[in-house]
Amino acid sequence: MLPTPNPDPAPTALCLPRAQLDTLLHLALARPAQPPHTLLAHAPLVLQPAPGGLQALAGPLSTQRLRALPPQPGHPPEPPPTHGLVLVAVASPGAPPPQGDAACEAWLLQHAPGFRLATAAINPALVLLWLRLDGQATLLFRHGRQPASAGAPRWVPVPQLHLPGGGMQRVDLAATTGRQPDPEPDANEPDPGPDDRRDSRHLAAFGAAPLRHLQRSHIVLVGAGRVGSVFAHGLVRLGVQRLTVIEPDHMEPHNEDGDVAPLCEGRPKVEALQRFVRGLQRPGAVLDLQPWPVSSARAGALIAQADAVLVCVDNDAARLWANAWALAHNRCLLAVATRVQPQGAEADLRLLPAGSGCLACVGGYVQRAELLQQLALDGPVPTPADFRQQRQGSLRSWSALAAHLGQRLLEQHLLRPGGGALFRQLQETPQGGLQVRDWRPEDDGRPRACPFCSTLQGAGQAAVTPQRLRALVRLWLDSAM
């Protein structure tokens, strides 16, 4: 009898935040020599469609022993649904990886016999990332549903490992697995590469390969106001080939100090931005303008395809939605905010590589009292009738400075491997000087217990709902009191 075809499709990539993998490897290297496979970490697994095929998303990694899910104290939000577990095993140099169904099942029985207890999935799927400290990697997927007549569950290779974080590395394992990922929609389009004439100064500063990497990145920008429009302008001039702008608002007279076309009052901000940068884009570049609120599912689906998410809005509810989508899809987030106060101008820049934290646990939200009220609104959050409820005013010079500094942080993040969360604050002094303060979460040495990170990281598109966000905000507000 022929075996019954497996009903579960296998993913073509595992998306695991580099920050978490680096932490695990540092822990493995710090341990004394032990037998192979002794360090095992696990994370929730979510499978969801992606342009290159089915993608496996890893939630927060834990090195605690696999055991039954503990009861949730109090009244937390219902945990997002998962499809199984991601297992990450770190082995000593020279240890042979498990190969074939029988060897993989024996490995699973020996090292993770309680995997079914650690997930709420009825037929849990598994992704095994087997790493050896000398650099060898094996990535396998175990189908969750397998009819009894088909014999042992089938393990299949996963061809790509995505490590969102510094450097945005993608490890191609197809040569060792023999399985090729599905081509992405634009994979066959010609890439012009850097232009020797237009990009001569960028080529001298970055080098050809790094500049090509920057220009091929897909950036999603949330907000096209004073800061966001300058940011978009800078990315277009850098030669970024794909820039998506999410902005539902329309132009008002006071918006014309941004990098937008004049005489567009009443028109969508994205249209004014498009008119301004028209003629500046490189051949083949795509400027994707989306007049939807960031709270929409369309915005979440766009962020799922991004290499980095930039947030340049003046409203905490919009920041929270962008933060939630970035967490759920394991994407880097860079938030830039400016204000002018009586004592001088201020700016906050928060760079949050995937797996390193979120806006709630790195800096927090200022508009705490209004946050739940803003989340209850259906559609875009209105701007206060009097802007002085939020700040004394705005300065184009200061907004442009913050946007350009943000672009430099983004360039460094996309090109340099490693690096954790960064909270950079700029403030003018009464004497006209400039103070720059950098803070990293690891500086205070205190463990963070963030309800947003623990619930939403790698949880996928379906996990982000208004009800869940409101519940998480209540938890966060209670814990911050």
Side-chain angles (χ1 to χ4, degrees), residues 253-301:
H254 62 82
N255 297 134
E256 294 197 0
D257 60 348
D259 281 2
V260 292
L263 305 177
C264 288
E265 183 178 351
R267 306 297 301 172
K269 283 186 178 179
V270 289
E271 180 182 320
L273 174 63
Q274 183 184 40
R275 292 183 182 181
F276 184 83
V277 301
R278 185 180 297 161
L280 299 177
Q281 292 175 270
R282 299 174 72 241
V286 175
L287 179 61
D288 183 17
L289 305 174
Q290 299 289 338
W292 315 108
V294 69
S295 57
S296 66
R298 295 188 185 190

Side-chain angles (χ1 to χ4, degrees), residues 6 34-35 39 42 55 57 76 162 175 177 216 225 240 248 288 303 330 362 404 412 431 452-453 476:
N6 199 302
Q34 294 179 355
L39 183 56
H42 56 91
Q55 184 180 59
L57 292 170
H162 295 178
T177 63
R216 295 190 66 180
V240 170
D288 183 17
I303 287 174
N330 283 340
V362 181
H404 292 311
Q412 293 172 332
Q431 295 76 28
F452 292 96
C453 292
W476 178 73

Side-chain angles (χ1 to χ4, degrees), residues 12 91 165 272 421:
T12 58

Side-chain angles (χ1 to χ4, degrees), residues 340-345 391-392:
V340 176
Q341 305 288 22
Q343 64 273 22
R391 58 192 179 276
Q392 180 177 341

Side-chain angles (χ1 to χ4, degrees), residues 48 100 149 170 208 245 262 278 294 298 307 320:
Q48 70 176 18
S149 59
R170 299 194 176 199
V245 182
R278 185 180 297 161
V294 69
R298 295 188 185 190
D307 292 311
L320 187 143

Side-chain angles (χ1 to χ4, degrees), residues 181-200:
D182 296 333
E184 296 190 9
D186 58 351
N188 296 321
E189 294 183 6
D191 180 8
D195 186 318
D196 290 342
R197 294 175 300 174
R198 171 174 172 165
D199 296 325
S200 60

